[in-house]
Structures are given as structure tokens and as C-alpha cells.
Amino acid sequence: MSSRKFFHPEADALTLHRILFALSDPTRLAVVRALKDGAERSSGDLLAESVPRSTMTHHLKILREAGVTRTRPEGMRCLISLRHTDLEARFPGLLDAILAHGRSD
Amino acid sequence: MSSRKFFHPEADALTLHRILFALSDPTRLAVVRALKDGAERSSGDLLAESVPRSTMTHHLKILREAGVTRTRPEGMRCLISLRHTDLEARFPGLLDAILAHGRSD
């Protein structure tokens, strides 16, 4: 049985400034780019060599609490995915417009 | 003679995450919306009743240093405008995609 361990805001409670804040960091932008294809990825898979695990945990919390990502516990792992449908319903075109800009951040 | 008193990053030095950070606050988003028509406005004109002057000065500095706005001293006033052309050249479509979302922030 998988209990819901993590807070996720409802789709209609997402706010523009919180989403922009969540995306206002190069590491968090890189995470969102890595999830852009719609697949779930473990936090371990998202870890960059240059980013300590505790820092990545903090970044993933900011993304989740802004409603950008969903975290799903599975056994010992946490699987993370982009809330593309919720983001698109609330702010159509926003995420794609931001992610269109490659790695020029 | 008007000396250049304020730091403005060059257009090609603008970064996505700094622009997103500059826009990640409701007061700063409101300032950018107020400048969307392309006109220059004084910092006094941009002041909201609920925002202390010192707080607005801080917000305007963040917008300017991220390259979102330009500040031009004129006599005793500072005139502020949106760097729409520079932003559009660097990140086409980004600002319009963000500002398309009305006041649902």
C-alpha cells in the first residue's frame, strides 16, 4: 500500500509566480528539462554530479510544492514526473515557452 | 548631462533563470504588466499603495539587474521601461507567454 506522503498543490491552486520561482534556478530548470519527455524518473537518476544529494532534495521539494512536479513513492525510491497536464490547463503554453529556450540559461 | 548611474546587463548576457526569478514575485509581475505598453513610467507611478517605497526600490533593482527593465534618470526622477526588444531577441516569445496569463498569479 502506497500512502500519499508528499504535499502537492491542487491544479487550480497553482500560481504563476510560484511556478516561475520554481523554474528560476539552473538545477531546477535542468530537472524539468530531464522530465520533459513525460517519463517518471527517480531522484537518483535526476542527480547531477555537481549537486549534493541534500541540495537536490531541496530543489525537488520546491518544484513539487510549486506544482511543477509530482513525487510518487515506490518502495525505497521516489519517482518524479512533470505535471504537464495540470500546468498546461492552468497556464497554457507557459512551460513550453520556457523550455523552448534550450540551455541558454 | 545625464550620467549612466545604473547597472544594466548587456542583452546577450541575459539568463533565463534570472529573468524567471525577476518575474517570480506578484509585485514585480505587476510592474512588468504596467510597463507592457512600452511607455516609460516613473518609479512613483509604479508604486502600489500596499508596497512601501523601499520595497519597491528593491523590486525595481531586481528587475533591472536581471535585464527585464531599463532605468533612466531624468532630473529628480527615474524613468523605467521594459526591455522588450532585448528580451525578445534573447528569449523569443518568453515574456509574452508569461504576461499572457493575466492576473491569475
Side-chain angles (χ1 to χ4, degrees), chain A residues 68-79:
Chain A
V68 175
T69 56
R70 189 171 295 283
T71 298
R72 185 172 70 83
E74 191 187 69
M76 298 291 283
R77 298 192 307 168
C78 284
L79 295 176

Side-chain angles (χ1 to χ4, degrees), chain A residues 17 20-21 23 91-92 101 105, chain B residues 17 20 23-24 91-92 101 105:
Chain A
H17 69 273
L20 296 179
F21 178 74
L23 300 175
F91 299 110
H101 294 293
D105 51 292
Chain B
H17 68 273
L20 296 179
L23 300 175
S24 72
F91 300 110
H101 295 291
D105 49 293

